[in-house]
Amino acid sequence: MAGKVPERLNRILLMVPFIVANGSATVDELCRKFNIDRDELVCDLDTLRMCGVPDYTPADLIDYRIEGGRVFMTMADYFKRPLTMTREEGLTLLVAGHALIRSGVFESDGPLGTALDKIERLLSVEEQVELESVAERIDLEMNASTGSWMDIIEEGLEKQQRLVIDYYSYSRGEIAERRVDPLSLLWSRGCWYLLAFCHEACDTRLFRLDRIRSLKLTGEPVEDDVTKFEVPELIGEYKPGRKAHKVKLRFSGREGRRLVEEWPTAKVADAPDGTIAVVLRTKNLVWLSNYLLRFGDRVRIESPAELRKMVKEKARALLKEYGSG
Amino acid sequence: MGRTMDKIERLINLTAFLLDTRKAVTFEELTDTVYQEYPSTTVREKNAVRKMFERDKDELREMGIDLEATSNEDGDDAYNIPRSRYYLPRLDLDTQERVALTMVSRLFLGSGTPFSAPAHSALLKLAFDDDESRGVPNVHWVESPADGESLSAMVDGLTRRKLLTFSYRALDATEPAEREVEPYGLFNRRGYWYLVGRCHFRGETRCFKLDRVVSDVVVNQKKPHTADFELPEGFNFEEECRWEWPLPHGAEDIEASVTFEPRLAFIRESGPGKVIGERRLGDGGIEVDYEVTDPEQLVDWVLSLGADAQITSPPELREMAVERLTGMLRGLES
């Protein structure tokens, strides 16, 4: 059977109203909406064919047919509307709503507040009390961003306008201008990112919001065919690829372990002498040579030699600036 | 019928019948209809079917279906699903409310958090009567998928007040230890997840960082419909959230100044301190005064900008930066 029972049941009970309400729905639309392939759809529909109300004669069972890419369904009128919002869905909307209010995207007494009230009213009084108590104890930090933040939301995402950004690439230490078609704002591990189609790279790219130096509106619309996108599963250098440098570090204290918490793909091992060995991979050494400076004598850079050289030069130059060189 | 009914078919049939029926249905009537293929002539068989019905009922309620137990005209126990409480009513949202709710329900779509699946169904329900989602800004939460299952167990334990067990390695510990925790709250700070709860191992309320949980998080399966604990009287969630990032004890905010090269002057706003003043410099760069709580954090940040930024005052912070740099050189030259 495809999928776990509650998950499938949920999907089926939500899918039937979408077909019944209009008498039919296209196969493509159903697959897209419910994130399933045609086989899974047919499997769900075949299950429904076994269902109905007493006396379970053929005239009492749900039936469907697929014609010209559309699914037609009969004898399921009691499922004409979806199940009302559930507690789980209510909790999700409340938690997400609170996070977006904290981030400053919405005001607490604006349209989001009144909309969430309308959703809550779908639940019983006891459920509302319980839900609010739980939602208050799930606190997701989303910091407000400054600078180009509201322009990206209002001009880039809402009006779907192309933007020109001056972007500081931390990994390469360079600033360059890029023309981008904004797709989404992403929040991941404590930072905001703009996901956009970059016309210089001819591909989708992520831009950290606090590294956008400036932003210009172009007044041009984004290209139509780039508005479809997949939300990335991971952000950061998680899959650096084969060309990446392999970096070996040795920490004298627990910073090593903290560092690994920031780079989930880094490997960590405790040595018998109490030091912590960390191995990580990265495409670019420039950012790392800056990043490591903070650890002072608590880190030893074992390899590569190129990184040792870069850090040495950087530390010497900086010491000169500080008047201690 | 020759084939055993799938559980999912049975649950759909039960929902359909109890939703479609005009009057509440007794258990007897259900054994002749939804449960007709399960024998129920002997007492033992009947008890088995009864148990099955009880489980099915729980499962539907768990899903959010309001299966009501009432009595019929003869005073017998009977069941139905009130249509008014099953069907999603028209939400009567205005355009702004619809845009806001669509953004909110999209936030966790495909996010690797336990809120991903309910976000998907909520979004579909919102679009049922009025599918107008063009031009609604996309804002998404992205979580590393490895955290998904542990978070899911934590939210489950939190909502149903069930005990959680997991193996936890504190930052300073070399070996992990088994923990049994009453989950009270969950929060996310600077990208990290923390569970707040009473730890039976320590006998006190603590914060657990998700990255330091080294096993699956297991929700107590016993007595699924009874809570394992009550939230302690006077529990202050906000107070507990502050535990992980304590302000340095008795420390006062200090003032510090940093110069930036022209090309990176824009980055001053994202520093770990409050900007309280700034001056343009002759070379196009800028000198910024910050009010900082944690001097270490400022030094870390300025060093991470390499040659593009430098601390100008106070001398103690310059000294900290110099110490790090000389320490680094010593290590590289030895």
Side-chain angles (χ1 to χ4, degrees):
Chain A
M1 274 291 108
K4 290 181 234 149
V5 170
E7 195 188 307
R8 259 195 89 207
L9 186 55
N10 241 323
R11 181 172 70 222
I12 291 176
L13 290 182
L14 189 49
M15 180 156 44
V16 178
F18 275 94
I19 307 170
V20 173
N22 301 312
S24 71
T26 70
V27 171
D28 290 346
E29 187 193 347
L30 291 171
C31 289
R32 183 171 43 79
K33 271 203 164 97
F34 293 92
N35 255 334
I36 50 175
D37 60 28
R38 195 192 154 98
D39 288 348
E40 286 171 294
L41 174 66
V42 170
C43 177
D44 285 353
L45 293 171
D46 283 341
T47 296
L48 279 164
R49 215 176 225 169
M50 300 294 163
C51 302
V53 290
D55 300 317
Y56 305 113
T57 66
D60 302 310
L61 295 179
I62 298 172
D63 201 9
Y64 82 94
R65 61 177 207 282
I66 299 180
E67 249 178 52
R70 296 189 80 87
V71 182
F72 294 83
M73 189 169 277
T74 50
M75 299 308 295
D77 287 347
Y78 36 85
F79 288 137
K80 63 180 184 253
R81 288 191 70 79
L83 174 63
T84 188
M85 288 283 175
T86 65
R87 250 176 9 179
E88 239 187 337
E89 290 155 358
L91 181 66
T92 297
L93 295 178
L94 277 189
V95 169
H98 290 168
L100 284 172
I101 286 170
R102 271 189 66 156
S103 74
V105 176
F106 292 108
E107 287 164 17
S108 58
D109 51 1
L112 178 59
T114 54
L116 286 176
D117 284 346
K118 287 182 185 174
I119 298 292
E120 271 199 78
R121 261 180 262 141
L122 301 178
L123 303 167
S124 70
V125 178
E126 302 89 73
E127 279 177 327
Q128 286 179 36
V129 171
E130 197 199 308
L131 190 70
E132 284 193 4
S133 156
V134 175
E136 272 167 21
R137 284 179 285 120
I138 301 180
D139 181 359
L140 274 57
E141 180 185 62
M142 284 182 109
N143 295 333
S145 181
T146 48
S148 37
W149 165 251
M150 267 310 172
D151 274 344
I152 291 178
I153 296 179
E154 284 168 6
E155 305 297 325
L157 294 168
E158 229 175 287
K159 296 191 189 143
Q160 307 201 327
Q161 178 179 161
R162 182 167 303 158
L163 306 172
V164 175
I165 57 170
D166 234 6
Y167 187 68
Y168 168 51
S169 157
Y170 185 61
S171 65
R172 287 198 297 265
E174 295 163 3
I175 296 182
E177 194 178 85
R178 290 152 182 267
R179 286 173 306 140
V180 298
D181 290 354
L183 298 170
S184 173
L185 273 182
L186 306 175
W187 170 262
S188 180
R189 294 218 149 212
C191 292
W192 282 108
Y193 298 83
L194 169 66
L195 178 73
F197 183 86
C198 171
H199 289 273
E200 272 66 44
C202 284
D203 199 358
T204 52
R205 286 281 184 275
L206 284 164
F207 303 97
R208 231 175 89 165
L209 249 50
D210 57 355
R211 294 185 185 145
I212 297 178
R213 184 163 73 169
S214 61
L215 177 147
K216 276 188 293 226
L217 308 175
T218 63
E220 297 164 36
V222 300
E223 259 165 52
D224 259 354
D225 53 340
V226 301
T227 51
K228 286 196 196 88
F229 66 95
E230 301 247 330
V231 177
E233 278 197 351
L234 291 164
I235 288 179
E237 284 202 272
Y238 291 92
K239 291 172 192 161
R242 252 180 282 154
K243 275 196 222 152
H245 300 274
K246 189 173 177 185
V247 177
K248 285 188 186 172
L249 307 168
R250 187 169 294 278
F251 288 87
S252 58
R254 62 185 199 179
E255 281 94 350
R257 234 178 248 130
R258 231 189 251 279
L259 184 83
V260 171
E261 285 172 358
E262 281 183 46
W263 276 279
T265 51
K267 291 193 178 65
V268 64
D270 292 285
D273 64 356
T275 62
I276 294 162
V278 172
V279 178
L280 57 92
R281 299 177 75 87
T282 178
K283 261 191 284 198
N284 214 306
L285 295 175
V286 178
W287 72 273
L288 193 62
S289 67
N290 284 331
Y291 181 83
L292 288 174
L293 293 174
R294 69 181 63 179
F295 296 108
D297 60 0
R298 292 164 296 173
V299 68
R300 287 291 168 91
I301 302 163
E302 301 192 333
S303 66
E306 194 186 341
L307 180 65
R308 291 173 58 91
K309 188 166 160 258
M310 284 167 83
V311 174
K312 203 185 284 180
E313 280 166 9
K314 203 153 272 172
R316 278 201 189 124
L318 270 171
L319 276 173
K320 207 168 272 168
E321 295 281 326
Y322 277 99
S324 306
Chain B
M1 268 181 168
R3 63 185 277 281
T4 328
M5 200 194 307
D6 277 325
K7 181 179 168 189
I8 194 160
E9 291 167 26
R10 194 174 71 229
L11 291 175
I12 295 172
N13 280 334
L14 184 60
T15 311
F17 186 22
L18 294 184
L19 191 58
D20 191 46
T21 182
R22 273 169 215 283
K23 58 181 189 57
V25 178
T26 63
F27 174 66
E28 300 296 327
E29 286 168 302
L30 286 171
T31 56
D32 291 337
T33 52
V34 177
Y35 296 91
Q36 63 181 340
E37 61 178 72
Y38 304 99
S40 59
T41 32
T42 68
V43 173
R44 208 172 143 170
E45 284 169 346
K46 208 166 184 167
N47 282 341
V49 177
R50 179 94 221 180
K51 263 195 187 149
M52 185 184 276
F53 170 58
E54 293 297 328
R55 275 199 305 271
D56 291 351
K57 222 165 57 177
D58 285 345
E59 199 145 331
L60 293 185
R61 282 179 177 155
E62 199 83 344
M63 277 181 55
I65 296 175
D66 205 344
L67 197 155
E68 195 179 59
T70 69
S71 49
N72 66 5
E73 297 144 356
D74 306 328
D76 297 323
D77 286 346
Y79 307 89
N80 73 325
I81 297 172
R83 292 176 199 184
S84 61
R85 294 218 292 276
Y86 180 95
Y87 294 134
L88 176 73
R90 288 189 176 271
L91 292 167
D92 291 322
L93 301 166
D94 64 33
T95 312
Q96 278 185 310
E97 287 174 334
R98 180 166 299 282
V99 168
L101 271 192
T102 307
M103 272 177 82
V104 164
S105 49
R106 275 185 194 164
L107 181 65
F108 291 121
L109 270 192
S111 62
T113 70
F115 305 112
S116 183
H120 183 216
S121 50
L123 190 62
L124 288 172
K125 288 177 184 180
L126 283 174
F128 187 72
D129 291 309
D130 188 3
D131 192 1
E132 251 314 317
S133 58
R134 265 191 79 84
V136 177
N138 277 300
V139 180
H140 291 282
W141 184 287
V142 180
E143 192 60 45
S144 92
D147 293 344
E149 282 190 23
S150 302
L151 280 175
S152 189
M154 287 176 180
V155 173
D156 185 26
L158 187 69
T159 327
R160 298 193 293 126
R161 297 201 300 281
K162 299 301 287 178
L163 285 174
L164 301 175
T165 43
F166 50 84
S167 180
Y168 188 76
R169 186 161 109 165
L171 192 60
D172 293 315
T174 40
E175 292 301 319
E178 283 303 311
R179 306 292 182 116
E180 189 180 54
V181 176
E182 298 175 0
Y184 297 159
L186 186 69
F187 66 96
N188 185 290
R189 288 287 177 282
R190 303 186 189 180
Y192 298 105
W193 291 94
Y194 299 86
L195 174 75
V196 183
R198 187 178 167 76
C199 171
H200 290 178
F201 180 75
R202 297 270 184 203
E204 55 189 29
T205 302
R206 303 214 137 205
C207 285
F208 299 92
K209 194 173 180 180
L210 179 61
D211 298 71
R212 296 176 191 154
V213 172
V214 294
S215 68
D216 287 345
V217 177
V218 180
V219 187
N220 181 22
Q221 297 294 326
K222 285 180 199 151
K223 298 193 189 158
H225 300 291
T226 325
D228 290 341
F229 59 88
E230 289 300 323
L231 206 62
E233 198 80 26
F235 171 75
N236 186 334
F237 179 55
E238 277 175 36
E239 199 99 311
E240 300 295 337
C241 289
R242 282 202 286 268
W243 180 89
E244 182 75 15
W245 305 106
L247 297 176
H249 191 65
E252 303 256 324
D253 284 355
I254 61 157
E255 282 183 26
S257 304
V258 180
T259 54
F260 296 88
E261 289 295 310
R263 67 170 205 145
L264 273 200
F266 76 96
I267 221 156
R268 64 190 182 277
E269 294 286 348
S270 46
K274 201 174 130 198
V275 175
I276 51 172
E278 54 183 57
R279 289 166 295 286
R280 288 269 158 207
L281 301 175
D283 64 352
I286 195 165
E287 181 167 26
V288 181
D289 304 324
Y290 290 101
E291 201 172 72
V292 286
T293 309
D294 183 355
E296 291 253 353
Q297 223 188 333
L298 185 79
V299 174
D300 285 356
W301 181 65
V302 172
L303 286 176
S304 76
L305 300 173
D308 287 306
Q310 205 191 116
I311 298 168
T312 45
S313 76
E316 304 87 73
L317 258 63
R318 283 177 64 84
E319 195 46 45
M320 271 168 81
V322 169
E323 250 170 55
R324 309 273 177 95
L325 295 166
T326 43
M328 179 61 90
L329 275 180
R330 257 200 321 276
L332 285 165
E333 280 160 357
S334 65

